Amino acid sequence: MLTDIEIAQQAKIRPIRQIAEKLGITEDELEYYGKYKAKLTEELITRKAGEKNGKLILVTAINPTPAGEGKTTTSVGLGDALSLLGKKTVIALREPSLGPVFGVKGGAAGGGYAQVIPMEDINLHFTGDMHAITAANNLCCAMLDNHIQQGNSLKIDVKKVLIKRCLDMNDRELRNIVAGLGGRVNGVPREDGFIITVASEVMAILCLASDIDDLKERLGNILIAYTTDGQPVFAHDIKANGAMAALLKDAIKPNLVQTLEGTPALMHGGPFANIAHGCNSVRATKLALKLADYCVTEAGFGSDLGAEKFFDIKCRKAGLKPSAVVIVATVRALKYNGGIPKAELGNENLDALKKGIVNLGVHITNMQKYGIPTVVAINRFAADSDAELSYIEEYCTSLGADFAMSEVFAKGGNGGTELAEKVIAAADKPSDFRFIYDDDLSIKEKINAVATKIYGADGVTYTTQAIKALADIEKLDTAKLPVCIAKTQYSLSDDPSLLGKPEGFTVTVRDIRLSNGAGFVVVYTGDIMTMPGLPKVPAAEKIDVDSSGKINGLF
């Protein structure tokens, strides 16, 4: 089979104007970024605001292997399959981060014959949203340090600066640095650090803001530091939010692209789910619901991370109500959860599958707790044996869970029609959507609810640092904020080595930070890093460009 990039480069890509016409979008409502991608204007969003919503379908997954389980591929293939069945469909996805593109996981444009194109553009610079977010974040940091250098009238404590610079690249060297060295005119020396752009609060704000005015207000509400007498300092205190919003005036507009089969796709925003809230922008999702009968969207990593945050943060904040949820499961990930090394996942091993399949059971049960009709998508890989696939089907049947085989990677939309039919049926069922915790609970009670009800923990413990941070946060107006738990994606617990269905564990909270502009409290567990590093052999080593400008090695 051809590689992903070879398939994408051989595809007949349609001018983006033709994709827009399918949705009734006029020429004046497009802002072109070349022939094959465009941003959608505020005029379109305003024109569609009063129209009826389509049905919202969330695609999530079980706990994955390091390479991922094809969640985006399934989302794209499902969208194409719904289109083949005559359903007006828009796919709403996150934008890729350069970190995993050049690292180990790869991009976020799907794979095989279920891809979003132009694949090279999407996985690299796209329409510049990531760069704009990076610039806005770092402008705030520069203005804060300049304020300190120029007399520090706010009396900012250099030991209590909260905001960090960001970079859309895996670069562990920048996690902890000392800045401001080199003499009196070069800044005040202090400890600092970088996070990856997709973990920044500016990214979260862009994805949750309703319009430019809301964006500007949220940016101004970012808690950036404390003064020497313990008072909070916000971005609006250093007058940074106006300029930050100016840098983001185009980035806030959703991006329109297409699948290999011509299904419209809105790709906008891209926070990680293990260290951020893991959903594409509210604006793109809401617009997709106005443009189509079905909006297929995804949430990062397993349902314990992405889906939980999609429901308890995004849906809560945006007033969204999903009609159905799809859980992507693979033979290899279930065997991985059964304790089999990555190198052996291609071999048939029913014993490992039987041991690891309890992980799927937890994810099915968890989605049922939200009251949403659920379908399991068994994402088929070439190495899967019939016996292994049959066992997963039997397991789903034993739990009363609907399921369908998905072969969209190899067959595109035609490989997902069974799944699409099951999703249509599920979306027609009554949905009793509810959150896993109430607004009125304390922050600790909300953390405990997620840890015990979703992760299966016995309880939660807190480090001294976390207790102190929580005390500072509770002095502010944070009582009704949801929690965004930063946790490993490889386990239901906070320990990546505890695979399958861990039992008898507690979650340890090591730190808590307030994302005041985004409107949630970030809870750090385990060894989760907000600036990832590259693997021993990064994907970047295989990526190249020839003399004609053609890129190769990009998956």
Side-chain angles (χ1 to χ4, degrees), residues 322-403:
S323 296
V325 61
V326 176
I327 302 173
V328 178
T330 63
V331 168
R332 66 177 190 172
L334 292 172
K335 290 191 291 190
Y336 185 75
N337 273 281
I340 295 300
K342 289 182 291 182
E344 299 177 19
L345 295 178
N347 303 324
E348 181 179 279
N349 191 324
L350 282 170
D351 289 338
L353 179 62
K354 291 175 181 178
K355 183 180 178 182
I357 205 164
V358 292
N359 186 262
L360 172 59
V362 174
H363 289 282
I364 292 172
T365 301
N366 282 348
M367 293 303 92
Q368 291 170 344
K369 291 175 182 176
Y370 286 97
I372 309 169
T374 302
V375 179
V376 176
I378 305 171
N379 188 21
R380 184 167 193 167
F381 283 69
D384 300 343
S385 73
D386 290 341
E388 290 171 326
L389 294 168
S390 295
Y391 184 78
I392 298 175
E393 292 178 345
E394 292 168 5
Y395 183 80
C396 290
T397 300
S398 72
L399 292 182
D402 213 351
F403 63 88

Side-chain angles (χ1 to χ4, degrees), residues 184-355:
R184 184 172 59 85
V185 299
N186 293 315
V188 175
R190 68 178 183 86
E191 292 185 22
D192 198 2
F194 280 74
I195 59 175
I196 194 165
T197 297
V198 289
S200 72
E201 186 175 353
V202 176
M203 169 63 83
I205 287 171
L206 183 88
C207 289
L208 292 169
S210 57
D211 54 35
I212 194 75
D213 290 332
D214 185 37
L215 174 73
K216 192 187 305 183
E217 182 178 356
R218 287 173 177 270
L219 291 170
N221 288 335
I222 297 175
L223 178 63
I224 58 174
Y226 281 95
T227 64
T228 52
D229 58 356
Q231 295 303 306
V233 180
F234 301 96
H236 60 70
D237 291 324
I238 59 169
K239 300 179 176 61
N241 52 317
M244 293 169 73
L247 284 169
L248 298 170
K249 74 176 183 66
D250 294 319
I252 196 174
K253 300 172 185 176
N255 306 298
L256 176 66
V257 284
Q258 62 189 287
T259 70
L260 291 171
E261 299 180 16
T263 301
L266 300 187
M267 298 191 76
H268 194 220
F272 280 173
N274 56 345
I275 52 182
H277 77 282
C279 312
N280 74 310
S281 78
V282 166
R283 283 164 61 84
T285 302
K286 283 190 168 183
L287 180 57
L289 287 168
K290 301 296 184 184
L291 292 170
D293 299 324
Y294 290 86
C295 168
V296 178
T297 191
E298 66 169 2
F301 295 119
S303 73
D304 55 314
L305 285 170
E308 185 274 315
K309 294 170 184 177
F310 180 87
F311 297 142
D312 289 317
I313 297 176
K314 180 174 179 176
C315 290
R316 186 191 303 265
K317 293 287 186 180
L320 299 172
K321 293 186 177 181
S323 296
V325 61
V326 176
I327 302 173
V328 178
T330 63
V331 168
R332 66 177 190 172
L334 292 172
K335 290 191 291 190
Y336 185 75
N337 273 281
I340 295 300
K342 289 182 291 182
E344 299 177 19
L345 295 178
N347 303 324
E348 181 179 279
N349 191 324
L350 282 170
D351 289 338
L353 179 62
K354 291 175 181 178
K355 183 180 178 182

Side-chain angles (χ1 to χ4, degrees), residues 293-534:
D293 299 324
Y294 290 86
C295 168
V296 178
T297 191
E298 66 169 2
F301 295 119
S303 73
D304 55 314
L305 285 170
E308 185 274 315
K309 294 170 184 177
F310 180 87
F311 297 142
D312 289 317
I313 297 176
K314 180 174 179 176
C315 290
R316 186 191 303 265
K317 293 287 186 180
L320 299 172
K321 293 186 177 181
S323 296
V325 61
V326 176
I327 302 173
V328 178
T330 63
V331 168
R332 66 177 190 172
L334 292 172
K335 290 191 291 190
Y336 185 75
N337 273 281
I340 295 300
K342 289 182 291 182
E344 299 177 19
L345 295 178
N347 303 324
E348 181 179 279
N349 191 324
L350 282 170
D351 289 338
L353 179 62
K354 291 175 181 178
K355 183 180 178 182
I357 205 164
V358 292
N359 186 262
L360 172 59
V362 174
H363 289 282
I364 292 172
T365 301
N366 282 348
M367 293 303 92
Q368 291 170 344
K369 291 175 182 176
Y370 286 97
I372 309 169
T374 302
V375 179
V376 176
I378 305 171
N379 188 21
R380 184 167 193 167
F381 283 69
D384 300 343
S385 73
D386 290 341
E388 290 171 326
L389 294 168
S390 295
Y391 184 78
I392 298 175
E393 292 178 345
E394 292 168 5
Y395 183 80
C396 290
T397 300
S398 72
L399 292 182
D402 213 351
F403 63 88
M405 198 67 63
S406 176
E407 298 183 83
V408 297
F409 181 89
K411 301 177 181 178
N414 284 317
T417 52
E418 179 192 0
L419 174 62
E421 289 169 349
K422 294 289 181 71
V423 168
I424 291 168
D428 285 339
K429 295 177 182 177
S431 175
D432 183 27
F433 177 57
R434 53 190 177 271
F435 303 120
I436 212 69
Y437 55 78
D438 295 330
D439 282 336
D440 293 332
L441 296 180
S442 69
I443 293 173
K444 274 192 171 184
E445 288 172 327
K446 291 170 184 174
I447 297 169
N448 188 71
V450 176
T452 56
K453 296 179 182 179
I454 300 300
Y455 306 159
D458 289 343
V460 182
T461 59
Y462 295 81
T463 65
T464 302
Q465 169 60 31
I467 292 170
K468 182 180 182 300
L470 181 57
D472 289 338
I473 289 169
E474 288 179 332
K475 293 175 185 176
L476 304 173
D477 186 18
T478 59
K480 292 187 178 295
L481 296 185
V483 294
C484 180
I485 301 180
K487 180 185 77 68
T488 177
Q489 65 267 36
Y490 299 119
S491 172
L492 288 162
S493 75
D494 56 347
D495 180 349
S497 68
L498 299 180
L499 304 180
K501 182 185 178 183
E503 295 179 346
F505 69 93
T506 58
V507 170
T508 300
V509 175
R510 61 176 176 82
D511 201 1
I512 302 177
R513 298 286 179 92
L514 174 62
S515 285
N516 193 57
F520 53 69
V521 175
V522 183
V523 180
Y524 294 93
T525 71
D527 294 326
I528 196 72
M529 292 287 186
T530 53
M531 171 54 86
L534 291 170

Side-chain angles (χ1 to χ4, degrees), residues 40-61:
L40 301 176
T41 66
E42 296 297 327
E43 289 75 15
L44 172 64
I45 294 172
T46 300
R47 179 169 70 85
K48 288 289 183 179
E51 296 192 10
K52 181 181 177 182
N53 282 341
K55 294 185 176 182
L56 180 58
I57 312 299
L58 175 69
V59 179
T60 184

Side-chain angles (χ1 to χ4, degrees), residues 14 108 133 418:
R14 303 154 182 83
I133 293 165
E418 179 192 0

